[in-house]
């Protein structure tokens, strides 16, 4: 069955970078893409960006355009979200979720989430 | 940018009763509306896509309806395991993005 396994929790200092991984299994990696969504403590869901597992095409939310980079490693069936210049309000659970190969369709399933804590 | 407004913020329903959740969009989204369920401490789970199509494995007590700017998620016969926050979501082509509503928390009365 389709499964997404994310890397473990991270604690970072302000100004640092973090790279979260999302390993997929149970389906053909290049037939789908990934969206990344974050959720601050007690808050709602915030979309960050999308990457195609087929073409590597990306779309980013304007808020994150300058601070994140989404990549994939097809040979490892893994997607990555790299965020720079972390601030305390970047403390959140970061989810990867399977999305369309093109910018179409619905997001399902979601990974379990990776807690990133930014604190001095 | 399209804004999704969910109401009510919190809904208390007795077991076996009906829960009706609303999602209104600031512009027509035709039928491109999705619902997720998020239980405490868990990742969101897809419930409904294209306004009214149940995702695989979703019980029949969950149903979606609506069009254009006004959408509803109905839980007919609330079960204790339905306690969760429910989010609606729309995919925009321009500017590209997934937009989420603020969520409705459903609990047991």
């Amino acid at each position: 069955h389709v499964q997404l396994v994310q890397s473990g929790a991270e604690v970072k200092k302000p100004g640092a970078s973090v790279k979260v991984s999302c390993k997929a299994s149970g389906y053909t990696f290049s037939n789908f893409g990934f969206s990344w969504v974050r959720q601050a403590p007690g808050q709602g869901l915030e979309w960050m960006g999308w990457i195609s597992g087929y073409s590597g095409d990306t779309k980013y939310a304007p808020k994150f355009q300058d601070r994140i980079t989404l990549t994939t490693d097809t040979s490892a069936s893994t997607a990555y979200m790299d965020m720079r210049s972390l601030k305390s309000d970047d403390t959140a659970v970061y989810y990867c979720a399977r999305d369309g190969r093109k910018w179409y369709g619905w997001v399902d399933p979601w990974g379990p989430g990776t807690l990133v804590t930014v604190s001095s | 940018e399209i804004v999704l407004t969910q109401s009510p913020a919190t809904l208390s329903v007795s077991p076996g009763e009906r829960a009706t959740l609303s999602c209104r969009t600031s512009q027509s989204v035709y039928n491109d509306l999705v619902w997720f369920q998020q239980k405490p401490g868990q990742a969101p789970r897809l419930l409904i896509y294209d306004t009214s199509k149940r995702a695989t494995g979703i019980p029949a007590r969950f149903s979606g309806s609506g069009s254009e700017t006004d959408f509803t998620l109905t839980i007919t016969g609330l079960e204790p395991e339905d306690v969760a926050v429910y989010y609606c979501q729309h995919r925009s082509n321009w500017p590209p993005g997934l937009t989420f509503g603020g969520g409705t928390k459903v609990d047991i009365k």
Side-chain angles (χ1 to χ4, degrees):
Chain A
H1 75 287
V2 177
Q3 190 173 14
L4 302 177
V5 177
Q6 297 187 227
S7 48
E10 303 262 13
V11 179
K12 296 291 183 180
K13 294 193 183 302
S17 298
V18 69
K19 191 168 188 174
V20 179
S21 67
C22 172
K23 183 170 177 59
S25 61
Y27 70 96
T28 301
F29 186 84
S30 58
N31 283 352
F32 293 86
F34 295 87
S35 268
W36 289 84
V37 177
R38 77 176 186 180
Q39 186 170 38
Q43 302 301 307
L45 303 169
E46 181 176 34
W47 179 77
M48 302 175 69
W50 165 88
I51 184 166
S52 170
Y54 175 73
S55 63
D57 287 349
T58 54
K59 297 184 189 293
Y60 295 105
K63 176 178 180 177
F64 300 105
Q65 176 81 41
D66 296 331
R67 283 207 299 141
I68 70 169
T69 302
L70 302 183
T71 56
T72 59
D73 180 347
T74 303
S75 65
S77 297
T78 301
Y80 301 92
M81 189 283 295
D82 201 336
M83 178 177 265
R84 304 172 286 282
S85 303
L86 290 168
K87 301 170 283 189
S88 58
D89 61 3
D90 291 320
T91 294
V93 175
Y94 290 75
Y95 294 102
C96 64
R98 192 179 71 168
D99 200 339
R101 187 176 80 172
K102 296 183 180 180
W103 182 243
Y104 175 80
W106 44 90
V107 175
D108 178 57
W110 296 54
T114 295
L115 175 62
V116 176
T117 303
V118 183
S119 174
S120 55
Chain B
E1 180 179 330
I2 296 175
V3 176
L4 279 61
T5 303
Q6 292 188 241
S7 62
T10 304
L11 187 60
S12 295
V13 179
S14 299
E17 296 298 305
R18 174 179 298 182
T20 303
L21 289 68
S22 171
C23 177
R24 289 203 164 97
T25 63
S26 59
Q27 303 172 40
S28 174
V29 298
Y30 304 98
N31 75 332
D32 186 7
L33 200 285
V34 174
W35 291 93
F36 293 98
Q37 175 194 64
Q38 186 177 33
K39 295 183 179 181
Q42 296 185 18
R45 178 175 73 148
L46 177 68
L47 289 180
I48 302 285
Y49 62 96
D50 290 351
T51 297
S52 61
K53 298 175 181 176
R54 272 191 303 276
T56 302
I58 300 303
R61 65 180 180 273
F62 291 92
S63 62
S65 63
S67 65
E68 306 290 345
T69 61
D70 209 341
F71 299 87
T72 300
L73 175 69
T74 302
I75 310 172
T76 304
L78 191 80
E79 301 276 350
E81 63 261 32
D82 300 333
V83 168
V85 179
Y86 294 82
Y87 294 95
C88 57
Q89 174 251 303
H90 168 69
R91 181 187 301 267
S92 296
N93 288 320
W94 192 259
L98 301 183
T99 304
F100 293 91
T104 291
K105 182 178 181 180
V106 174
D107 59 30
I108 296 289
K109 186 185 289 184

